[in-house]
């Protein structure tokens, strides 16, 4: 961590905050504002950390927003992201060599691969210089943040969670939310589809406790590796070796059989009783909503070890953009070659951060036959973590660069018709709140590889169209049209909902000559002139099987909050929002410098 701090300092990518700030809300609120700045702001080092509730002052600093820019990602990787992707591509396409010199070249390349495998060291590591065992164990000695006012408590956000299969043959490194329940218990937010959850099932069936070691800090690449979407059973630390050209050096935990990198800053060791579950949450999450309370496994801590002068690594989650925007960018670039093995005609893909990544994917492909895009949709929805994607839009090779949203939206809307839609059902991320049941819900695919010939509607101005809409839908509050120059303009209508939005859509069919795509949102907490946050709201709030309506050339989307009017019986979570008194306090201390314009744009 200290080498990383110095690296970022030398490259003017570090902001040091010396003012006294609280682990409860203040520090995470400031980090949340920082990443909203142009190019992700700076990495933040908080050197005067307190817990005002207990009166405790921490010796260690808190380090945040480390990956929060494209430049910082490449500094931490020590090379360009594209070079890592190129190397993976080369390995995937390696063929038997012909000729003596080609064989020598391949031999040297294969010999170099020996450095990608983690190396187990004898003895202890720097991460075990300070040891807390038995009655000295106290999780509250760590500066674990409480991010949002409605959070169920403090939770570790950048934990590297090391686990192994029951037989010890497979190991896994993942990143999961870890709630601090008390001095010696951590919640394990293992979603049912995750590798650690599969290991948990093995221990549960055998009636045995499961060992877990949680590391924090060290080389930031360990943390990135914890998020890497590698196939089941593949050790994520192999990516560390591939990127750094040196083995991750591991030492054995004191009280579990698990090995962790010797240079991490903290290690929390313990055992999970597979029959002991506890309510976890609620917590504000990267969806921008609070996730609901649910039962998850609990780890009883058996040891805490640290470096002599540790630095606590953390991140913050909430509404986009977040630090995961940049971590996800690196992941997408690096793992594109692996995705192409499942879908060889895939040319490019991009997951916009304001859709929370899993809520929307844009993909460019080379269609070779009728229905090829639909085949790709099935391939995506059956491929590892891509299976959690809710909405997928496929474009052909002539489409603009996928990161050019204005051009891509124009390209899609000029080719779109309702027969471009493909709606099905599949698994969802456990954090999704909009489906009628957990883990399963509607998925939407749009085939924009076909150029449908559709006449543009008879456009009206916003005021005239709203006046007509208001006559038919009295609950309508405001209206704005986007992409008016395309053949399928998007009309956003905010409502004070008193009935199911399908009724509003049906009433508007009489105006179908003026409307093509109509989106309903609640009047509360939505700015119908803010497309960035509207995409966040819409992709979060819809279940394709329930919330998409079609009549002729007109398509409706119900992105309102769901309730009993919609036959929705689950609890609908609140938006993640900053506590105003905390923001005011940060302003008074002179550390909050986010403009009011940016505050409003990102609906903090």
């Amino acid at each position: 961590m200290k080498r990383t701090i110095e690296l970022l300092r030398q490259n003017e990518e570090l902001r040091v905050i010396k003012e006294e700030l609280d682990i409860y809300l203040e520090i995470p609120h400031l980090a949340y504002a920082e990443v909203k700045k142009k190019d992700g702001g700076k990495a933040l080092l908080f050197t005067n950390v307190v817990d005002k509730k207990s009166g405790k002052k921490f010796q260690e600093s808190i380090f945040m927003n480390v990956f929060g820019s494209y430049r910082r990602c490449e500094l931490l990787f020590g090379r360009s992201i594209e070079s890592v992707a190129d190397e993976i591509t080369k390995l995937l396409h390696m063929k038997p060599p012909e000729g003596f010199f080609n064989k020598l070249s391949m031999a040297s390349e294969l010999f170099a691969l020996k450095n990608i495998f983690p190396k187990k060291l004898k003895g202890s590591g720097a991460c075990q210089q300070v040891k807390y065992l038995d009655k000295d164990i106290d999780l509250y000695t760590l500066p674990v943040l409480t991010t949002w006012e409605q959070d169920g408590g403090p939770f570790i956000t950048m934990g590297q969670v090391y686990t192994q299969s029951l037989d010890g043959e497979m190991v896994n490194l993942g990143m999961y939310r870890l709630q601090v329940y008390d001095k010696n218990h951590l919640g394990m937010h293992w979603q049912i589809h995750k590798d650690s959850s599969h290991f948990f099932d093995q221990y549960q069936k055998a009636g045995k406790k499961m060992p877990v070691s949680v590391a924090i800090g060290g080389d930031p690449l360990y943390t990135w590796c914890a998020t890497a979407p590698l196939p089941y059973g593949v050790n994520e630390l192999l990516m560390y070796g591939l990127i750094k050209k040196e083995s991750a050096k591991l030492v054995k935990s004191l009280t579990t059989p698990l090995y962790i990198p010797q240079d991490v800053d903290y290690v929390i060791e313990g055992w999970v009783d597979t029959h002991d579950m506890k309510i976890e949450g609620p917590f504000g999450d990267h969806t921008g909503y609070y996730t609901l309370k649910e039962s998850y496994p609990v780890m009883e801590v058996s040891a805490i070890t640290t470096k002599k002068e540790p630095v606590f690594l953390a991140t913050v989650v909430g509404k986009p953009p977040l630090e995961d925007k940049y971590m996800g960018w690196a992941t997408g670039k690096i793992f594109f070659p692996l995705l192409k093995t499942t879908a060889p005609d895939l040319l490019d893909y991009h997951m916009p951060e304001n859709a929370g990544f899993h809520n929307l994917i844009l993909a460019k492909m080379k269609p070779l036959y009728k229905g090829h895009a639909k085949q790709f949709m099935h391939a995506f929805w059956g491929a590892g973590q891509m299976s959690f994607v809710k909405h997928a839009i496929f474009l052909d090779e002539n489409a603009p660069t996928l990161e050019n949203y204005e051009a891509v939206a124009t390209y899609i809307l000029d080719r779109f018709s309702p027969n471009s839609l493909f709606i099905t059902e599949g698994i969802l991320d456990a954090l999704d709140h909009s489906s009628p049941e957990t883990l399963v819900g509607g998925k939407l695919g749009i085939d924009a590889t076909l150029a449908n010939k559709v006449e543009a509607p008879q456009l009206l101005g916003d005021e005239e169209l709203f006046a007509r809409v208001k006559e038919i839908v009295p609950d309508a509050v405001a209206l704005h049209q986007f992409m008016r120059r395309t053949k399928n303009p998007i009309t956003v209508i905010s409502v004070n909902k008193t009935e199911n939005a399908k009724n509003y859509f049906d009433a508007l069919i009489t105006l179908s000559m003026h409307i093509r795509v109509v989106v309903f949102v609640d009047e509360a907490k939505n700015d119908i002139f803010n497309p960035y946050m509207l995409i966040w709201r819409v992709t979060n709030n819809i279940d394709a099987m329930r919330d998409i309506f079609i009549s002729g050339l007109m398509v409706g989307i119900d992105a309102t909050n769901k309730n009993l009017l919609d036959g929705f019986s689950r609890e609908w979570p609140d938006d993640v929002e900053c506590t105003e008194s905390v923001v005011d306090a940060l302003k008074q201390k002179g550390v909050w410098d986010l403009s009011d314009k940016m505050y409003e744009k990102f609906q903090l």
Side-chain angles (χ1 to χ4, degrees), residues 161-166 170 172-176 188-205 210-212 232 272 274 277 295-297 388 430 439:
V161 181
Y162 293 84
T163 56
Q164 67 180 28
S165 59
L166 180 62
M170 288 191 290
N172 180 254
L173 165 58
M175 183 187 290
Y176 314 101
M188 301 281 111
H189 189 81
W190 287 331
Q191 297 171 24
I192 195 170
H193 310 106
K194 304 296 185 181
D195 288 355
S196 289
S197 184
H198 298 325
F199 292 168
F200 175 84
D201 293 341
Q202 296 172 13
Y203 286 89
Q204 189 174 56
K205 289 174 183 176
M210 178 177 173
V212 180
Y232 176 67
V272 172
T274 54
M277 307 287 278
S295 292
Y296 280 95
F388 300 122
L439 304 175

Side-chain angles (χ1 to χ4, degrees), residues 76 137 185 246 308:
L76 298 178
I137 293 170
H185 289 92
E246 63 181 64
K308 286 183 179 177

